[in-house]
Amino acid sequence: MAAARLDYIAPWWTYWLHNFPHINFTFQSIDNTFRPEDASYQQSVALLACVGAVGLGLSLLVLAVYLCCLYCCHRDVDEDTKRPDACCVTWAAIIAGLIICSAVGVGFYGNSETNDGVYQLTYSLYNANHTLGGINNLVAGTLGSMENGVKQHLERLDEIFAARIDYVNALRFMRRMAGNIVNQLNALPDVSKANVDLAAIADRTASVEYYRWLTYLLLLILDLVICLVTCLGVAKQSRWLLITIMAFVVLSLILSWASLGVGVATAVGTSDFCVSPDKFIVNQTKDFLSANVAHYYLFCSPNLPNPFQQSLTIYQRSLTTMQIQIQGLLQFAVPIFPTAERDLLGIQRLLNSTELNLHQLTALLDCRALHKDYLDALMGVCYDGVEGLLYLSLFSLLAAVALSGMLCGIPRAWTLIGSRDRDYDDIDEEDPFNPQAQRMSYIRQVNIHSFCSFTSSLASEGSLHAAPPSASNVAPSSEYMNQSCCVGGNPRYENVPLSRGSPPPSYSPSMRTTYLSMTDAQIRHFGTDFQV
């Protein structure tokens, strides 16, 4: 049946997924025909969903074996091999981050494609539901007009035309034509059940798709956050970040394998439907639609006869006959029975509205509208939908592999961070490159600066009582500095004016004498940094 379709051809990936082994719980191969109500088929789909559980178990097994090898066969790392191990951890984190970023990109595309396919499916279902609802309304309206409105008018006309047998016979003939219209409308297939089913399927599908799309979006965001936090943790070498990363990685790993299992099972089941959709639909609608009606809408071929053509033809002929009879009665009976004009005009209005309903019903019963909605639904599900599920499955697989590798690298990073902390504890305090030693040197410089300020103040106090030297014995500072520059070519540093960050000058004999004459209170103030 599917081979005869020229307007719909199932894509190759649906045939590839359709050929996946279908095995029930007793590990027996079953038919891969899409039968969702069959228990064996449900078991085969459930086993396909267990692929995620198998992958999760293998990931945890590999992680357990790796941890056993890491901690049971652990040996001290010497100085020569410490840096390569750290580089390996860094490169492993970078590779895992790149794989996760690539997987997230694939996941976003697959999520969008699947959402587009499901949206096209629900849109087509709502359109088909609107068409079927229009058919139901037209049939119900026409039946009400024929059975109630025309019947009441004919009963009153029977009383008016009781004296004229020919007019009464014309009314009986019209009543028989109205009965033919009612019979032909009742012979049409009852599409109300299909209308209700399509509306329920569209609503349920839209609801499930919304939560599916939101769940995958949150999973994609979680993987991106894990990737960013991993880079931050490797850069800052923080243990609490590693603990947080490990918790979220385990959660994301479980969700990734679960999404892989659900995605594979859904893709295989949908592919089973896409390979032969006509057969499934005919079986589902056999309770209220005949096979020829179902084939008429599913294939819409010019070679197939219209199953409604005979009913619509009888409908049209009966309606035309009634209109001719009404025109004759209006022309010949109204002059004799003026009171019959109101009922005859009422019947004429009902026949005109019934004719309009006939044209609309003919257009709605035509196969082209429903067949187009059917093809759009197939294209959305079997092309965009299944393709998006394949990309989402690829995302789940790549993310699961990268997260498993990240879990294997986190314990090694933890060990390297611990060895780094131990190395920092072994740093010599006398090391000039130690930050603590640099702070102590700065404190000593501040104390020396304070001591020099104190000696300068003492010297200034002594100069108040000493006689000023003669001008001939004092040389200008600029001349003295120039002389010092000429001898040796470089200025002496003790002659350069001190700045706030300059080192102190060498001790002179007078400074030494002054220091020895310091009181105990002054020594306690400046400390023992200047003891000799």
Side-chain angles (χ1 to χ4, degrees):
M1 183 179 295
R5 300 296 298 272
L6 300 177
D7 45 3
Y8 167 74
I9 299 176
W12 63 267
W13 53 80
T14 58
Y15 287 101
W16 176 63
L17 293 171
H18 179 66
N19 292 327
F20 274 24
H22 291 64
I23 302 173
N24 56 14
F25 289 163
T26 59
F27 297 99
Q28 295 179 354
S29 179
I30 64 171
D31 186 17
N32 55 4
T33 304
F34 184 68
R35 292 171 288 112
E37 70 283 351
D38 186 69
S40 298
Y41 185 82
Q42 294 175 0
Q43 293 176 5
S44 66
V45 175
L47 283 179
L48 289 174
C50 293
V51 171
V54 173
L56 178 61
L58 290 178
S59 298
L60 296 179
L61 179 62
V62 171
L63 179 62
V65 171
Y66 175 78
L67 291 178
C68 290
C69 295
L70 182 64
Y71 289 102
C72 295
C73 304
H74 179 71
R75 59 183 180 180
D76 295 334
V77 182
D78 54 5
E79 297 295 332
D80 295 335
T81 61
K82 185 186 298 183
R83 185 173 298 275
D85 290 339
C87 291
C88 290
V89 172
T90 303
W91 278 107
I94 292 174
I95 294 174
L98 291 176
I99 294 177
I100 290 178
C101 290
S102 302
V104 167
V106 173
F108 272 113
Y109 178 76
N111 198 28
S112 177
E113 284 292 304
T114 304
N115 184 258
D116 292 341
V118 175
Y119 173 79
Q120 189 171 353
L121 169 64
T122 55
Y123 183 78
S124 300
L125 289 177
Y126 283 127
N127 281 343
N129 182 71
H130 179 73
T131 301
L132 295 177
I135 294 174
N136 289 332
N137 294 333
L138 291 174
V139 171
T142 304
L143 287 176
S145 300
M146 292 291 106
E147 294 177 349
N148 297 323
V150 174
K151 181 180 180 181
Q152 293 176 1
H153 288 296
L154 291 177
E155 289 177 353
R156 286 194 294 267
L157 289 174
D158 281 336
E159 298 176 358
I160 297 173
F161 297 151
R164 295 292 300 267
I165 301 300
D166 53 345
Y167 293 160
V168 173
N169 292 332
L171 295 178
R172 290 176 182 175
F173 183 74
M174 291 175 59
R175 188 178 289 110
R176 190 162 52 251
M177 292 298 101
N180 288 337
I181 293 176
V182 171
N183 292 333
Q184 297 306 318
L185 290 177
N186 289 327
L188 294 177
D190 185 13
V191 295
S192 59
K193 185 176 180 0
N195 185 20
V196 174
D197 290 343
L198 288 181
I201 292 173
D203 294 337
R204 187 163 54 250
T205 303
S207 177
V208 171
E209 169 57 21
Y210 171 75
Y211 289 107
R212 185 212 62 81
W213 174 83
L214 183 61
T215 301
Y216 269 102
L217 181 63
L218 294 177
L219 182 59
L220 292 169
I221 294 175
L222 177 62
D223 288 343
L224 281 180
V225 171
I226 288 175
C227 184
L228 295 177
V229 175
T230 301
C231 296
L232 182 61
V234 172
K236 294 181 67 68
Q237 296 186 357
S238 173
R239 284 192 168 184
W240 72 268
L241 280 178
L242 289 180
I243 295 175
T244 305
I245 292 171
M246 182 175 292
F248 282 101
V249 165
V250 171
L251 175 63
S252 182
L253 180 65
I254 296 174
L255 294 177
S256 296
W257 283 116
S259 64
L260 177 62
V262 174
V264 170
T266 306
V268 172
T270 308
S271 298
D272 293 339
F273 167 77
C274 292
V275 168
S276 181
D278 306 321
K279 182 178 180 181
F280 173 75
I281 293 176
V282 170
N283 292 331
Q284 292 296 315
T285 58
K286 63 183 179 181
D287 295 335
F288 54 92
L289 285 181
S290 60
N292 58 341
V293 173
H295 291 164
Y296 172 70
Y297 285 112
L298 293 178
F299 295 98
C300 196
S301 173
N303 299 325
L304 292 176
N306 187 347
F308 310 110
Q309 186 64 43
Q310 184 178 359
S311 298
L312 294 176
T313 301
I314 297 175
Y315 182 175
Q316 177 68 43
R317 291 175 180 176
S318 301
L319 184 61
T320 303
T321 302
M322 292 181 66
Q323 290 175 340
I324 294 173
Q325 292 294 326
I326 290 297
Q327 290 292 337
L329 291 175
L330 285 173
Q331 183 178 0
F332 299 104
V334 169
I336 304 174
F337 302 97
T339 57
E341 183 179 7
R342 179 180 177 183
D343 291 314
L344 291 175
L345 291 176
I347 294 176
Q348 189 178 40
R349 285 193 297 268
L350 290 176
L351 294 178
N352 291 335
S353 63
T354 302
E355 185 179 11
L356 179 62
N357 291 342
L358 173 63
H359 295 309
Q360 295 179 356
L361 184 62
T362 303
L364 291 177
L365 288 175
D366 187 77
C367 66
R368 286 173 292 184
L370 288 176
H371 183 67
K372 180 181 182 302
D373 295 332
Y374 173 63
L375 290 182
D376 290 342
L378 287 181
M379 293 297 179
V381 172
C382 302
Y383 281 83
D384 294 339
V386 178
E387 182 184 7
L389 288 175
L390 288 176
Y391 280 111
L392 287 177
S393 300
L394 179 60
F395 150 72
S396 300
L397 181 61
L398 292 177
V401 171
L403 292 172
S404 300
M406 192 177 296
L407 277 179
C408 294
I410 288 177
R412 190 57 183 167
W414 183 281
T415 304
L416 290 176
I417 292 176
S419 63
R420 185 203 64 169
D421 295 337
R422 289 193 299 269
D423 293 340
Y424 282 167
D425 294 338
D426 296 337
I427 294 178
D428 187 6
E429 294 183 356
E430 298 299 330
D431 188 358
F433 296 99
N434 186 5
Q436 185 176 0
Q438 294 179 2
R439 288 195 297 268
M440 294 302 297
S441 175
Y442 175 75
I443 293 173
R444 292 191 182 97
Q445 292 179 6
V446 172
N447 291 335
I448 292 173
H449 184 271
S450 301
F451 173 76
C452 295
S453 301
F454 174 75
T455 54
S456 299
S457 62
L458 291 179
S460 62
E461 290 178 358
S463 64
L464 294 175
H465 303 284
S470 59
S472 60
N473 296 331
V474 179
S477 59
S478 60
E479 181 181 356
Y480 178 75
M481 293 179 64
N482 292 333
Q483 291 176 1
S484 64
C485 291
C486 294
V487 179
N490 294 321
R492 296 177 60 186
Y493 289 102
E494 58 267 23
N495 295 329
V496 179
L498 293 176
S499 62
R500 298 191 63 173
S502 301
S506 59
Y507 292 161
S508 63
S510 61
M511 292 172 63
R512 181 180 178 85
T513 304
T514 303
Y515 174 73
L516 293 176
S517 64
M518 290 173 61
T519 62
D520 294 339
Q522 294 169 344
I523 292 176
R524 285 194 301 272
H525 175 73
F526 291 104
T528 59
D529 292 335
F530 308 108
Q531 293 285 350
V532 294

